[in-house]
Amino acid sequence: MSDSRPAIARSRPVRPLDLQGDYPAWLLRAAVGIPSVSGEELPVAGFLAEQLTALGFDAHVDEVGNVHGVIGPSTAPTVMLLGHIDTVPGRVPVCQIGDLLYGRGAVDAKGAMVAMICAAARSSDVRVHVVGAVGEEVAGGRGALHVMATVPKPAAVVIGEPSGWDGICLGYKGRTGIGYEMQQPPLHTSSPEPTAVEWAVRFASEVQGYLRGLSPEADPIAFGVATGTLTWLRGDLARAEAFLTCRVPPGFDFAALERFAKSLPHSRIWVDERVPGVTRPRADPVVSQLRAAIASRGVRPTLKLKAGSSDMNTLDPWGVPMAAYGPGDAHLDHTIDEHIALSDLYRAIDVLALTLPRLARQLPAPAAETVDRPPALVGPAPHDRTHSLEA
């Protein structure tokens, strides 16, 4: 099927009927067709700003590359819909086969981004601030941190991530990444002493064992279990480096893990970020209204806890009602088979469009605008992506 645009001039306002027709599907195809690997998001940000303007939003791209669109009466409570516009590397040819749209970012997370834009454009009696954040797929959460530092706190937040159109994500594990380096004089291969690369392998095994020992549960996917994944290893007899990505539950003691890591033989150890895990109760107003909107379509909502992390972790210190929602199967994130059902995109738009005004009626009226500065523990500043534990 060709990827031609519907007959909508980008310089003209988009008509309400377009939002019920082929415009959402076209918008997602167009957004997925613009590569936006982390650090290279500006082209898609500019495109989405143009579309937001055509839809009647007050739109702009900020200093770090986030795209913003605000719509609705200033006297109404503000609900922020924050997704991310960056993707992991890897080419997935953009094509549509029947109801399925294939392409990098279709699920994670341009599908959610488009659903939020179209739902906000259909809503009334609520002020909606849509944000397409940069840098979610890499350590540091640069885009979401910039939003926290520069944008007044909203009354509620929906994070755009794939939960399935009939699912709601109540929480995410936290994350930290531990880097390891060992340098030593080269040894003969007949020596009984460990080589540098053997030290690195032992380090990874010891850290993984430490994390497993923190919980009696054996299932590594369980939300209360901390896990460590060796993501790369390189070295030889004299020098070796390794890196582990650790997924950790809420309340995890990062300092204790770092003390344990430093107790092992090493030349240098560093971490890239310390992102706490987050959970929200079923009674959270955002969760409640999303559940009601899904149930109104005759489906029982599925509540989920994710083993990964998201910008929900970063924005959690705001302390406002919050949950994650968006179309797509998260099992397809980052895969060569990434695709989304367009019918699920339209269902998600309907759910969000029903949720927004109902949620607004539950929220307090706007107060004086203030900007909350993010705490240091949420993640590193944009210019400092690692925390050195020992030189």
Side-chain angles (χ1 to χ4, degrees), residues 169-193:
C169 184
L170 275 62
Y172 288 87
K173 283 187 177 182
R175 181 196 176 279
T176 189
I178 302 182
Y180 176 86
E181 181 181 355
M182 172 61 81
Q183 295 187 53
Q184 65 181 29
L187 301 170
H188 193 277
T189 54
S190 65
S191 171
E193 296 300 317

Side-chain angles (χ1 to χ4, degrees), residues 223-380:
F223 194 68
V225 174
T227 62
T229 300
L230 180 62
T231 56
W232 54 263
L233 170 70
R234 53 177 174 257
D236 53 28
L237 300 177
R239 186 175 185 274
E241 292 181 320
F243 193 86
L244 291 95
T245 293
C246 306
R247 302 292 181 176
V248 300
F252 182 78
D253 190 339
F254 292 97
L257 170 62
E258 292 162 14
R259 287 193 299 271
F260 176 79
K262 288 172 62 177
S263 73
L264 302 172
H266 65 277
S267 297
R268 186 169 72 100
I269 291 174
W270 69 96
V271 301
D272 62 357
E273 63 180 357
R274 304 177 183 96
V275 179
V278 295
T279 55
R280 291 305 170 101
R282 294 164 60 99
D284 182 289
V286 174
V287 177
S288 296
Q289 292 303 331
L290 284 169
R291 289 171 62 196
I294 293 168
S296 73
R297 298 186 62 88
V299 175
R300 183 175 181 177
T302 302
L303 304 182
K304 303 179 178 182
L305 297 170
K306 295 285 190 73
S309 57
S310 76
D311 282 331
M312 183 171 170
N313 301 70
T314 304
L315 298 183
D316 181 66
W318 261 342
V320 300
M322 189 181 308
Y325 178 77
D329 180 355
H331 293 98
L332 297 172
D333 291 2
H334 306 180
T335 68
I336 60 172
D337 192 38
E338 186 172 359
H339 64 272
I340 193 169
L342 292 174
S343 54
D344 287 351
L345 170 68
Y346 282 82
R347 292 186 182 103
I349 293 170
D350 289 343
V351 166
L352 284 169
L354 184 59
T355 296
L356 287 169
R358 291 178 172 182
L359 177 61
R361 289 193 287 270
Q362 256 192 289
L363 299 172
E369 293 189 345
T370 60
V371 174
D372 288 353
R373 299 295 175 182
L377 282 179
V378 173

Side-chain angles (χ1 to χ4, degrees), residues 28 32 105-116 326-328 340 345 348-349:
L28 180 55
V32 170
V107 176
D108 189 16
K110 292 178 181 178
M113 192 76 243
V114 167
M116 294 189 302
I340 193 169
L345 170 68
I349 293 170

Side-chain angles (χ1 to χ4, degrees), residues 14 44 57 86 127 130-131 160 168 195 224 226 233 268 282-283 289 322 341 345 362 375:
V14 179
V44 77
F57 290 76
D86 65 320
R127 189 168 179 82
V130 175
V131 181
I168 307 161
T195 64
L233 170 70
R268 186 169 72 100
R282 294 164 60 99
Q289 292 303 331
M322 189 181 308
L345 170 68
Q362 256 192 289

Side-chain angles (χ1 to χ4, degrees), residues 76-161:
T78 297
V79 177
M80 178 175 286
L81 306 181
L82 185 141
H84 67 91
I85 56 175
D86 65 320
T87 72
V88 298
R91 183 174 179 271
V92 179
V94 180
C95 66
Q96 186 176 337
I97 302 175
D99 186 47
L100 303 181
L101 176 66
Y102 288 77
R104 175 62 74 225
V107 176
D108 189 16
K110 292 178 181 178
M113 192 76 243
V114 167
M116 294 189 302
I117 289 171
C118 294
R122 281 173 46 183
S123 299
S124 59
D125 301 323
V126 57
R127 189 168 179 82
V128 184
H129 185 165
V130 175
V131 181
V134 300
E136 192 275 345
E137 294 288 4
V138 293
R142 184 167 65 105
L145 282 173
H146 186 75
V147 169
M148 280 195 73
T150 59
V151 174
K153 180 167 65 175
V157 177
V158 179
I159 299 294
E161 287 284 353

Side-chain angles (χ1 to χ4, degrees), residues 1-5 29 95-96:
M1 181 174 178
S2 66
D3 195 22
S4 59
R5 298 183 177 189
R29 284 197 301 270
C95 66
Q96 186 176 337

